[in-house]
Amino acid sequence: MRLISQPLFAQESILKEFVENSNKRKFCFYPSTLRMVNLQQDPAFNEMIAPIEKLLLYSLDSSSIASKEYRYVLDAYTQEGYEDYAQVYGGKFDIHVLGKERKVREWVGVLKQGDEAFAFYLIGAVNWQKIPHLMNSIQENDLFTLVDLGNNGGNWD
């Protein structure tokens, strides 16, 4: 039996191909840009993002949200050996997070709330215990909000 190994960029290409024609906004973050969104210089936020090497974030358009085509992307990642890490359904929420452990951890997911949905691809570790603190910071407007930036016309790679 012969093992085939795909480079990291081949894994992120599954999501990139899907969102090529189905995103409103796209963002690419590296450690330095992730630290810039922490306007209050919250040490807990910086600690949470420290192990992240790269984050691709896409705001999905209404047609891909309505058709739920993103589920096919998640199926493609499952076929590549990604495992379910979290699924939340109910009310306005539809959240899927898949992960794969290699030399470097990889994560892919879709976060949908009401009429807004985001797809992401992340390389690096996630400090899950810091997520509640991050959510509190966002609610208190201590962090630069990407959604507002995107609504003002930001669209970067």
Side-chain angles (χ1 to χ4, degrees):
M1 182 171 146
R2 191 174 80 152
L3 295 175
I4 298 173
S5 173
Q6 290 186 324
L8 285 176
F9 68 83
Q11 298 295 315
E12 71 184 52
S13 69
I14 295 170
L15 181 60
K16 282 184 171 181
E17 287 175 22
F18 165 70
V19 298
E20 187 173 303
N21 295 314
S22 60
N23 77 82
K24 295 188 296 185
R25 296 175 300 273
K26 55 187 172 182
F27 304 93
C28 180
F29 296 98
Y30 293 94
S32 60
T33 52
L34 284 168
R35 285 189 301 273
M36 287 183 351
V37 300
N38 185 8
L39 298 177
Q40 298 297 318
Q41 295 303 307
D42 182 349
F45 178 83
N46 287 338
E47 185 179 326
M48 185 187 78
I49 63 165
I52 296 174
E53 294 179 25
K54 182 178 184 179
L55 172 62
L56 302 175
L57 182 64
Y58 302 92
S59 174
L60 300 178
D61 66 16
S62 58
S63 64
S64 62
I65 295 169
S67 68
K68 298 186 180 181
E69 289 178 2
Y70 57 83
R71 291 187 177 173
Y72 297 114
V73 173
L74 298 173
D75 289 342
Y77 276 102
T78 300
Q79 291 173 5
E80 290 293 324
Y82 284 70
E83 299 177 30
D84 285 323
Y85 276 76
Q87 290 186 15
V88 178
Y89 300 97
K92 296 181 179 183
F93 291 99
D94 192 359
I95 300 170
H96 303 267
V97 179
L98 304 174
K100 186 171 188 178
E101 194 164 335
R102 298 174 150 194
K103 291 179 185 178
V104 177
R105 288 188 178 171
E106 300 171 56
W107 308 88
V108 65
V110 175
L111 311 169
K112 180 182 174 293
Q113 182 180 7
D115 295 334
E116 290 287 323
F118 295 89
F120 72 89
Y121 182 85
L122 185 142
I123 299 171
V126 176
N127 202 339
W128 295 106
Q129 64 270 24
K130 299 289 183 185
I131 299 291
H133 180 79
L134 171 64
M135 296 310 293
N136 287 336
S137 293
I138 290 171
Q139 290 172 357
E140 295 168 4
N141 294 319
D142 286 346
L143 297 174
F144 185 71
T145 60
L146 299 175
V147 175
D148 290 340
L149 175 64
N151 289 334
N152 290 327
N155 188 3
W156 305 300
D157 278 332

